[in-house]
């Protein structure tokens, strides 16, 4: 049983110099057999294990992670959370996640620092204005809060934006989702890991999957660097490496893995209290609680697993940032990094069964998976436990690439992909 | 971030080029004969290899010609560059 985190436990542990905190999760060796194994110990994988145990009473399960938990894209993203997607299927999926975010710290007894500071998307040309207004209407029809802001309202909401109409891409307005915001990405992985561990889930780090054993059309287990693990159900949540795992099972996925970069500045006093995204010039920025500007850049055009992108991508993003926020012109950038994102042709995820019995994939989140972490875990757990998708992820099946029933969020989702 | 040796112009920065994705995906000879699975395979399914991948590149900000590249996607090292229509090299 885990000790509850509270102000009192914080005070109590302060007296022992914070040296006697209870371990947040065990470090077990894999058992010979599990009822289900999740491949990938990022936020989505750990959330899947957590909801499998909590809602579906599957506790004899494991999460295998080749590195350390939350060391992949969970710890590499820009932590933006929003649900203002155009299509009904996406709106349902992402708003499901947003609703869980709103109570997540309490549910996990772990402060994920969810901050509903609002996300504003800027329009820079007439087509942007039309598209974003259309999306605002679509959002409201789906019960998602969204408002259109004229240029002066944009300036009022975020005074440091350059709204001069003389710049190359002037701000012609924007949309605002007030319920949107940010969260502490590491805490999400750690909170889910701690919660899953408490219910008996084995979280096995430094355990790389080397092969998937099949018996005809069903799975029998996993070959890993810590030996063979027998299981009838495998849920793969391997982000950029999804295709690599799929190849082990003889499957092909409609994915391309590309580097996506982000960077943070030196910490400064509070200057921007919201998240501002711009599709047309591809710049988005927010400020972390430490004071760093958190800036997201774009993807490279080529497939790569190197976790580093090209310099010209960062350069383009910073050009756009400086035009929109001249006040940042003397800021120094502190760190820059890349993650490998798995992008679907329609820029929507896959949360689905496959043609192989007992093999499930949760992938294709591309450049925007963090926001969906709780919802993705919940719906993927439902799909694995029942061998059927939940109605909210039914549209995100892998078969849509055969039927043609795509969920085309390219560009429509308010950010460039 | 790497250099690409364009077979027509010589070595240039990668930012001058555009990736055309996986190479050697042949356009169906008789499109009307294809079923939905075959269309999905042609249009959407990709090998997305971690390791040596054969891909098409276009020198978009240069000669604008297409060519093929064998590149290791785990370290971005280019193993071989060969022209359109040629068979992939044995590596």
């Amino acid at each position: 049983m885990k000790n509850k985190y509270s102000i009192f436990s914080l005070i109590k542990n302060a007296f022992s110099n914070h040296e006697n905190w209870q371990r947040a999760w065990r470090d077990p060796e894999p058992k010979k057999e599990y009822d289900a194994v999740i491949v990938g110990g990022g936020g989505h994988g750990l959330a899947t294990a957590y909801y499998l145990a909590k809602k579906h009473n599957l506790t004899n399960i494991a999460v295998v992670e080749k590195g350390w938990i939350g060391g992949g894209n969970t710890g590499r993203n820009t932590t933006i959370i929003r649900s203002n997607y155009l299509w009904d299927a996406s709106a349902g999926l992402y708003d499901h996640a947003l609703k869980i975010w709103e109570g997540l710290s309490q549910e996990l007894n772990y402060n994920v620092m969810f901050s509903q500071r609002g996300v504003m998307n800027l329009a820079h040309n007439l087509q942007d204005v039309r598209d974003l207004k259309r999306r605002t209407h679509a959002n409201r029809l789906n019960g998602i809060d969204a408002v259109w802001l004229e240029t002066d309202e944009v300036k009022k909401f975020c005074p440091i934006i350059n709204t001069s109409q003389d710049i190359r891409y002037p701000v012609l307005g924007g949309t605002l989702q007030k319920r949107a915001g940010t969260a502490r990405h590491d805490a999400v992985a750690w909170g889910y890991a701690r919660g899953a561990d408490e219910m008996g889930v084995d979280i096995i780090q430094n355990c790389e999957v080397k092969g998937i054993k099949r018996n005809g059309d069903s799975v029998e287990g996993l070959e890993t660097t810590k030996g063979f693990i027998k299981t009838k159900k495998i849920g793969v949540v391997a982000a950029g490496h999804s295709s690599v795992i799929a190849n082990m099972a003889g499957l092909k996925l409609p994915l391309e893995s590309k580097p996506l970069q982000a960077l943070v500045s030196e910490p400064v006093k509070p200057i921007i209290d919201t998240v501002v995204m711009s599709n047309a010039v591809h710049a988005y920025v927010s400020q972390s609680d430490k004071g760093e500007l958190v800036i997201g850049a774009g993807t490279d055009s080529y497939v790569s697993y190197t976790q580093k992108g090209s310099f010209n991508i960062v350069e383009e993003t910073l050009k756009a940032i400086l035009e929109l926020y001249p006040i940042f012109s003397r800021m120094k950038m502190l760190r820059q990094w890349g993650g490998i994102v798995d992008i679907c042709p329609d820029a929507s995820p896959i949360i689905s069964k496959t043609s192989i019995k007992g093999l499930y994939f949760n992938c294709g989140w591309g450049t925007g998976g963090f926001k969906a972490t709780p919802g993705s875990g919940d719906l993927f757990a439902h799909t694995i436990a029942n061998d059927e998708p939940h109605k909210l992820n039914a549209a995100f099946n892998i078969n849509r690439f055969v039927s043609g029933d795509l969920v085309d969020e390219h560009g429509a989702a308010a950010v460039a992909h | 971030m790497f250099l690409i040796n364009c077979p027509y112009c010589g070595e240039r920065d990668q930012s001058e080029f555009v990736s055309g994705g996986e190479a050697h995906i042949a356009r169906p000879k008789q499109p009307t004969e294809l079923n939905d699975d075959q269309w999905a395979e042609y249009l959407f399914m990709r090998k997305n290899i971690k390791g040596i991948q054969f891909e098409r590149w276009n020198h978009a900000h240069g000669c604008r010609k297409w060519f093929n590249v064998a590149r290791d996607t785990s370290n971005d090292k280019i193993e071989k560059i060969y022209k359109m229509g040629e068979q992939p090299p044995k590596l």
Side-chain angles (χ1 to χ4, degrees), chain A residues 66 241 243-244 247 252-257 301-306 309-312 345 401-402 406, chain B residues 1-2 14-15 18-19 21-22 36-37 40-41 44-50 53 57 71 73-76:
Chain A
K66 77 171 170 183
H241 282 71
S243 296
V244 176
N247 287 342
K252 235 163 132 184
L253 295 172
L255 296 175
E256 284 193 310
S257 297
S301 68
Y302 52 86
V303 170
S304 179
Y305 287 83
T306 55
S310 303
F311 183 70
N312 60 301
F401 297 97
V402 176
L406 304 180
Chain B
M1 193 174 180
F2 47 90
Q14 170 268 318
S15 61
V18 171
S19 169
E22 189 179 324
D36 289 350
D37 283 320
E41 179 73 21
F44 298 125
M45 300 303 164
R46 295 293 177 262
K47 288 182 188 151
N48 198 25
I49 291 167
K50 184 180 186 179
Q53 164 160 297
W57 283 81
R71 186 175 56 93
T73 59
S74 66
N75 58 16
D76 287 343

Side-chain angles (χ1 to χ4, degrees), chain A residues 138-287:
Chain A
N139 288 161
R140 290 166 82 150
L141 286 170
N142 277 318
I144 292 169
D145 65 312
V147 285
W148 170 257
L149 303 179
E150 297 295 341
T151 308
D152 57 326
E153 293 168 308
V154 169
K155 182 81 180 169
K156 203 172 156 204
F157 189 68
C158 184
I160 60 170
I161 295 182
N162 178 10
T163 51
S164 159
Q165 295 302 296
D166 297 330
I167 61 176
R168 176 66 185 84
Y169 298 103
V171 176
L172 301 183
T175 67
L176 175 63
Q177 185 181 18
K178 283 196 171 161
R179 283 165 64 230
T182 60
R184 170 84 200 279
H185 48 10
D186 300 317
V188 178
W190 298 336
Y192 273 122
R194 181 169 173 266
D197 182 85
E198 184 172 12
M199 291 182 284
V201 176
D202 282 354
I203 297 164
I204 304 158
Q205 301 180 74
N206 298 309
C207 180
E208 185 176 355
V209 171
K210 290 290 187 188
I212 291 177
K213 195 175 173 203
R214 278 173 61 175
N215 179 9
D217 281 338
S218 53
V219 294
E220 284 204 320
L222 289 162
E223 297 288 353
T224 74
T225 48
K226 292 194 174 182
F228 182 73
I229 302 173
K230 196 175 166 192
T231 184
K232 287 197 170 63
K233 288 189 173 188
I234 300 170
V236 182
V237 205
H241 282 71
S242 297
S243 296
V244 176
I245 307 278
N247 287 342
M248 293 175 189
L251 275 184
K252 235 163 132 184
L253 295 172
L255 296 175
E256 284 193 310
S257 297
K258 296 176 175 180
L260 176 68
Q261 296 178 83
L263 54 161
V264 295
S265 73
E266 58 190 336
V268 290
K269 285 185 178 177
I271 183 73
I272 178 165
D273 62 357
T274 185
V275 182
V276 185
M277 313 179 76
S278 168
N279 182 359
V281 297
H282 209 289
Y284 47 102
V285 63
S286 61
Q287 191 172 16

Side-chain angles (χ1 to χ4, degrees), chain A residues 79 81 112-118 178-184 273 275 289:
Chain A
T79 77
I81 295 162
V112 298
M113 296 164 77
F114 180 52
S115 156
Q116 291 177 297
R117 59 184 69 183
K178 283 196 171 161
R179 283 165 64 230
T182 60
R184 170 84 200 279
D273 62 357
V275 182
D289 292 357

